[in-house]
Amino acid sequence: MSFGKNLQYFRKLSGNMTQEGLAEKLNVSRQTISKWEMDAANPEMDKALEICKIFNCSLDNLFRDEMDKQSDSYSNLRLEEVPGFRYVEHTVISTEPESDAIGRMYRLAKENGIEAPRVIGWDFPNLSQEQINVFNMHGYTAALILPDGVTPEGCKIKEQPAHKYAAIHVDRPFENPFVTIPGAYQTLGDFMRTNGLVQSAEGVIPCFETDGESMDIYIACR
């Protein structure tokens, strides 16, 4: 754990706030911020509490946690207005549902002549404890975003309105997926908390990830 690294992390989450910008808010010199971030000194308690207020974090976050979970795979952390879209979805519940659900969407795209299909997905939460604990199952929903004028026969069409999302880009997500992808969601959660954003689940897809060699992960915000 490192207070200095945690402080740098929170500055990055807060719109890449500069050392000068943080120093001005705390009424200290830029050199003081630099010393803190090099772990050459620690702030007095009153300044530490001010930092917590600025970044909406706790003292444990600052001094005890390893907040800097960002890796070289993460970039373009942002707040984005995602345009509305039409889509069809398919949910699979099994021990490894992702490839089956996503594959179904790509087959549907091919059947309907959709070139360069856009496929997204998210975990399906509505499983019983028996499915989870006894049979080691989990659920995954994949969705095909429909181009204008395309309406697959026999499919229920859903509509997603334009909405604000916190988002992050992830390169090479599948080199170490059980670390990289959860870490990206954790980074997005930190970004939202630091910037006073609250997750939304009313009338929109609460969170989703794009499919591909790299991915973008989105969490809906109020």
Side-chain angles (χ1 to χ4, degrees), residues 140-187:
Y140 194 81
T141 299
L144 173 65
I145 298 176
L146 298 173
D148 291 340
V150 176
T151 303
E153 186 176 348
C155 295
K156 181 180 180 180
I157 310 299
K158 294 190 174 182
E159 294 198 15
Q160 159 90 359
H163 197 77
K164 181 172 64 177
Y165 281 80
I168 192 171
H169 181 73
V170 186
D171 285 321
R172 309 180 308 280
F174 301 108
E175 286 185 2
N176 193 3
F178 296 108
V179 173
T180 303
I181 296 174
Y185 276 102
Q186 178 64 53
T187 300

Side-chain angles (χ1 to χ4, degrees), residues 9-64:
Y9 176 71
F10 281 119
R11 282 201 299 108
K12 291 177 184 178
L13 291 183
S14 190
N16 280 320
M17 182 188 295
T18 63
Q19 288 185 341
E20 290 84 356
L22 180 57
E24 183 176 347
K25 289 178 179 292
L26 294 170
N27 196 27
V28 299
S29 68
R30 187 201 64 78
Q31 289 78 9
T32 296
I33 303 297
S34 179
K35 287 181 181 180
W36 292 346
E37 292 189 352
M38 291 188 295
D39 287 319
N42 283 331
E44 298 293 333
M45 181 58 70
D46 60 334
K47 295 300 181 185
L49 292 172
E50 285 186 56
I51 293 170
C52 290
K53 186 175 180 180
I54 290 170
F55 295 124
N56 194 25
C57 66
S58 68
L59 288 172
D60 277 350
N61 293 151
L62 276 179
F63 291 98
R64 294 185 178 180

Side-chain angles (χ1 to χ4, degrees), residues 40 102 135-136 156:
I102 291 169
F135 298 105
N136 296 316
K156 181 180 180 180

Side-chain angles (χ1 to χ4, degrees), residues 73-110:
S73 298
Y74 305 152
S75 62
N76 197 18
L77 184 60
R78 64 202 186 271
L79 193 61
E80 178 181 332
E81 183 75 17
V82 176
F85 55 85
R86 299 160 56 245
Y87 67 98
V88 295
E89 65 180 29
H90 181 66
T91 299
V92 174
I93 298 173
S94 68
T95 54
E96 296 182 357
E98 291 87 354
S99 60
D100 289 341
I102 291 169
R104 174 71 184 98
M105 293 297 94
Y106 279 109
R107 291 193 295 274
L108 184 65
K110 185 176 181 180

